[in-house]
Amino acid sequence: MYVVTLSFDDGFERSSRQTAEIFEGFGLSAAINVVARGHLGEPDEAWHTRWQKGDFGLWNELQARGHEIMPHGYVHANKAERPFEESKRLIEACLDVFADELERFDRARAVFAFPYNSSTAELEAWLPHVVRAFRTAGDPIMPLPQPGQTTIRCTSFGPGPCDEHLEKLVAELLARPSGWLCYNTHGLDGEGWGPLAAGTLERLLERLGERDDTRVLPAGAALDLAESV
Ligand SMILES: [Zn+2]
């Protein structure tokens, strides 16, 4: 059996709407990781602010339609470049905003997606006491989800299009006896770092959907799978 988790980071408004529609077309849930203050102009970097971010009105709508909306930082800080206490405060501030703004948000069930897939050993030791699991950099092809798993390894590709890189990793996954691929992309059709073509996404979901041995699931739903067996 194979599990593919394809997450879309940073919460670009246009791409998030389109991603959700594409996943819905295949009866699937999209995984969208958003910055708590994204709609308020964070991160305040020229390359990033070019693209409009969604707000919690949109995130609640997409969640109600069955998609998984997860935290991706308060201001998209690189946690490996900050003191532990400051990173902790930022993650807690992010989770507070989610608790206030996202309906039915439960931090004990949340999967925190580190910005830049960048974490530290200290944060990785602390975070499982706060959230269900976290996603950070590492070998993106893991064993199938395990009960109680708190670390999800993942990769991404950029700043150019990630289509080929993603296709290569899917082929690597399917060449193994089983496994869980977690791949992190951003926007569609030129939006964000390492964008994916909408057509590539549609063809990939179609191909994976034809396989009886493969499930495309957001990170939280993939962990649920381990707990339901
Ligand atoms: Zn990001």
Side-chain angles (χ1 to χ4, degrees), residues 28-46:
L28 296 169
S29 301
I32 299 174
N33 298 318
V34 308
V35 177
R37 290 179 61 82
H39 58 298
L40 302 174
E42 299 288 353
D44 188 15
E45 298 164 14

Side-chain angles (χ1 to χ4, degrees), residues 29-86:
S29 301
I32 299 174
N33 298 318
V34 308
V35 177
R37 290 179 61 82
H39 58 298
L40 302 174
E42 299 288 353
D44 188 15
E45 298 164 14
W47 73 268
H48 223 284
T49 49
R50 273 183 276 169
W51 301 292
Q52 176 76 32
K53 308 293 195 313
D55 60 18
F56 279 91
L58 177 61
W59 309 138
N60 278 309
E61 180 199 320
L62 296 184
Q63 179 177 261
R65 279 160 50 185
H67 305 291
E68 201 172 275
I69 310 294
M70 288 292 183
H72 185 47
Y74 185 62
V75 292
H76 206 266
N78 186 330
K79 304 293 187 297
E81 293 174 352
R82 310 232 177 176
F84 175 59
E85 288 301 327
E86 186 187 339

Side-chain angles (χ1 to χ4, degrees), residues 9-10 33 35 47-48 72 76 113-116 135 184 186:
D9 283 14
D10 299 349
N33 298 318
V35 177
W47 73 268
H48 223 284
H72 185 47
H76 206 266
F114 276 102
Y116 309 99
R135 189 207 70 189
N184 147 226
H186 298 81

Side-chain angles (χ1 to χ4, degrees), residues 170-201:
V170 170
E172 274 179 40
L173 171 73
L174 299 177
R176 298 189 187 193
S178 72
W180 177 17
L181 170 65
C182 182
Y183 195 88
N184 147 226
T185 178
H186 298 81
L188 294 178
D189 292 336
E191 230 178 31
W193 191 86
L196 180 65
T200 303
L201 175 61

Side-chain angles (χ1 to χ4, degrees), residues 1-3 142-147 149 173 177-181 213 222 225-226:
M1 182 190 173
Y2 305 100
V3 175
M142 298 168 285
L144 289 168
Q146 305 296 309
Q149 180 170 351
L173 171 73
S178 72
W180 177 17
L181 170 65
D213 59 357
L225 198 66

